[in-house]
């Protein structure tokens, strides 16, 4: 079993607004093993991106611990965090919005090297050499070094974002919806590239997406979030074969099955995601759940280990045995 690189314990992130307190992330815990990928999935507003940003301290958690290589990074001094941040990088969803349109590839990819004083500004030869190495690693042709982001397609722009993230030789990368803005064929190329880089460089990923089909073959473990909380957590194969939470079942039922003759009934969810402002202390999925019954009003369902490594937060799914959710 791989070593745990990041331990997340009771992570909470609230935002105070004029309408009340938004419970963006509400007491979640999970481990990320070194060299592995953990997928975090859920609808917009479920707290997955906020979680990703907390993991690398881009935003400060309200409470909880994020233990990276044995140190709680939420309690590090700014200077200590600056050193550690080199090991932690993020790849954003929209490569176009995250790249400065006035800068060339050379300038964009060199930026973190210069900012962190890895290479001196006047050492132009060393800068270009390192940028070309990074471009080669992510499959960008040498001739593109002086082009601007708007001259390239979405796939190439995302490769620039990946090259920039790799510049600091990170160990841990949060990939925040890195392929959702791309065409399906380009998505596959970027996913393959990320996999190759993981294999070659021993990277650990958190892969955030609203699309379960994307994480299917990419993640080792999957965390399903709903309205700031984890509702299910399991190894990827187990989650796809045996989803136990009604929300995960609905998400999976919406995925197209490529097999001939495959037939899976789509589970329709009622209503919309509830407001994350001051949510009541009951199951947050209750208004949309097809299995809702009186037992569901019995407080917030705890995340319990149903079978080894498979955790579910639902009052109707009990630990051990052949656990299945039954309609009331
Ligand atoms: Fe549905 Fe009840 Fe389980 Fe919530 S606790 S997911 S409402 S069955």
């Amino acid at each position: 079993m791989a070593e745990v690189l990041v331990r997340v314990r009771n992570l909470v992130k609230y935002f105070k607004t004029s309408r009340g307190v938004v419970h963006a992330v509400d007491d979640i815990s999970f481990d990320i093993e070194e060299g592995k990928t953990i997928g975090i999935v859920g609808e917009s507003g479920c707290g997955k991106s906020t979680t990703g940003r907390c993991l690398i301290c881009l935003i400060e958690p309200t409470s909880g611990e994020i233990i990276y290589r044995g140190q709680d990074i939420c309690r590090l001094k700014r200077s200590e965090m600056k050193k550690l941040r080199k090991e932690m990088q993020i790849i954003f969803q929209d490569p176009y919005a995250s790249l400065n349109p006035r800068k060339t590839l050379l300038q964009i990819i060199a930026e973190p090297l210069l900012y962190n004083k890895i290479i001196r500004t006047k050492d132009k030869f060393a800068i270009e050499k390192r940028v070309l190495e990074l471009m080669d690693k992510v499959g960008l042709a040498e001739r593109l070094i002086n082009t601007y982001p708007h001259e390239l397609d979405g796939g190439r722009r995302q490769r620039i974002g990946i090259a920039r993230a790799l510049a600091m030789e990170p160990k841990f990368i949060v990939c925040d919806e890195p392929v959702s803005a791309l065409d399906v064929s380009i998505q596959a190329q970027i996913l393959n590239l990320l996999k190759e880089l993981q294999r070659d460089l021993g990277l650990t990923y958190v892969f955030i997406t609203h699309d379960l089909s994307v994480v299917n073959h990419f993640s080792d473990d999957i965390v399903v979030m709903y309205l700031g909380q984890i509702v299910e957590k399991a190894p990827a194969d187990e989650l796809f074969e045996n989803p136990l939470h009604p929300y995960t079942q609905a998400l999976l039922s919406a995925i197209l099955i490529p097999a001939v003759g495959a037939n899976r009934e789509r589970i329709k969810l009622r209503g919309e995601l509830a407001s994350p402002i001051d949510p009541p202390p009951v199951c947050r999925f209750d208004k949309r759940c097809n299995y809702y019954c009186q037992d569901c009003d019995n407080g917030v369902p705890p995340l319990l280990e149903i079978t080894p490594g498979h955790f579910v937060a639902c009052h109707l799914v009990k630990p051990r045995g052949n656990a299945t959710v039954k309609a009331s």
Side-chain angles (χ1 to χ4, degrees):
M1 199 170 153
E3 270 191 33
V4 174
L5 181 69
V6 187
R7 273 183 214 283
V8 180
R9 290 292 175 269
N10 307 106
L11 180 68
V12 171
K13 180 62 191 172
Y14 293 164
F15 295 98
K16 281 189 188 146
T17 69
S18 55
R19 292 195 296 134
V21 178
V22 174
H23 292 221
V25 178
D26 215 349
D27 196 6
I28 64 170
S29 301
F30 59 93
D31 291 342
I32 307 167
E33 290 181 4
E34 188 152 20
K36 299 277 176 76
T37 302
I38 189 160
I40 304 184
V41 296
E43 288 164 280
S44 302
C46 72
K48 55 191 188 305
S49 290
T50 306
T51 301
R53 280 162 172 73
C54 286
L55 288 179
I56 55 168
C57 272
L58 277 187
I59 51 177
E60 199 182 328
T62 304
S63 63
E65 294 179 335
I66 296 165
I67 317 253
Y68 180 84
R69 293 197 195 282
Q71 323 184 61
D72 184 358
I73 61 172
C74 307
R75 281 168 186 74
L76 289 181
K77 289 189 198 135
R78 201 177 259 254
S79 56
E80 292 169 325
M81 190 57 216
K82 195 177 169 197
K83 269 189 223 151
L84 205 58
R85 175 135 320 122
K86 292 176 192 161
E87 291 195 17
M88 307 170 153
Q89 294 293 319
I90 186 164
I91 299 167
F92 292 102
Q93 171 181 6
D94 183 350
Y96 198 53
S98 63
L99 301 175
N100 187 336
R102 296 208 180 101
K103 291 192 172 175
T104 63
L105 259 72
L106 174 65
Q107 292 167 319
I108 291 169
I109 299 171
E111 214 167 22
L113 298 168
L114 301 176
Y115 177 78
N116 289 290
K117 300 188 173 59
I118 306 289
I119 305 177
R120 287 178 305 161
T121 316
K122 59 184 179 188
D123 201 346
K124 299 216 177 331
F125 176 75
I127 295 171
E128 189 170 322
K129 183 168 174 272
R130 180 68 180 134
V131 168
L132 284 173
E133 270 171 25
L134 289 161
M135 287 174 63
D136 182 51
K137 226 174 231 166
V138 301
L140 284 168
E142 203 177 311
R143 66 185 157 77
L144 300 174
I145 193 163
N146 290 315
T147 54
Y148 290 87
H150 73 269
E151 297 177 79
L152 304 173
D153 59 38
R156 286 202 181 101
R157 288 201 289 260
Q158 194 52 291
R159 285 174 197 265
I160 304 172
I162 296 170
R164 189 173 56 179
L166 292 179
M168 301 310 299
E169 299 184 4
K171 301 280 175 261
F172 175 53
I173 301 184
V174 172
C175 308
D176 189 1
E177 304 257 18
V179 295
S180 19
L182 305 175
D183 294 343
V184 175
S185 60
I186 309 290
Q187 281 187 4
Q189 291 173 20
I190 296 295
L191 290 174
N192 288 339
L193 171 65
L194 289 170
K195 265 282 160 212
E196 268 171 39
L197 293 169
Q198 182 173 48
R199 206 178 41 232
D200 297 347
L201 307 174
L203 299 170
T204 304
Y205 291 138
V206 168
F207 194 92
I208 295 167
T209 179
H210 63 276
D211 184 355
L212 256 174
S213 62
V214 170
V215 282
N216 186 3
H217 300 295
F218 195 78
S219 303
D220 298 286
D221 296 298
I222 295 179
V223 163
V224 182
M225 288 187 70
Y226 188 82
L227 221 59
Q229 296 181 322
I230 295 176
V231 294
E232 189 156 5
K233 184 171 77 171
D237 292 346
E238 163 69 8
L239 189 105
F240 273 79
E241 276 166 31
N242 190 25
L244 295 175
H245 194 280
Y247 178 60
T248 315
Q249 291 172 352
L251 285 182
L252 280 172
S253 77
I255 296 177
L256 289 175
I257 306 171
V260 177
N263 187 16
R264 183 158 55 192
E265 200 182 328
R266 172 121 192 222
I267 300 169
K268 289 197 182 122
L269 291 179
R270 296 176 283 171
E272 304 261 313
L273 200 71
S275 166
I277 295 177
D278 300 320
V282 290
C283 172
R284 293 186 185 175
F285 189 58
D286 59 354
K287 301 276 183 302
R288 302 175 79 190
C289 184
N290 295 323
Y291 302 112
Y292 172 79
C293 64
Q294 267 185 348
D295 290 351
C296 301
D297 295 331
N298 212 4
V300 177
L303 190 67
L304 298 178
E305 191 165 20
I306 305 302
T307 54
H310 192 158
F311 296 79
V312 182
C314 171
H315 288 306
L316 302 193
V317 182
K318 308 288 182 209
R320 297 194 203 98
N322 297 324
T324 50
V325 177
K326 294 193 176 67
S328 56

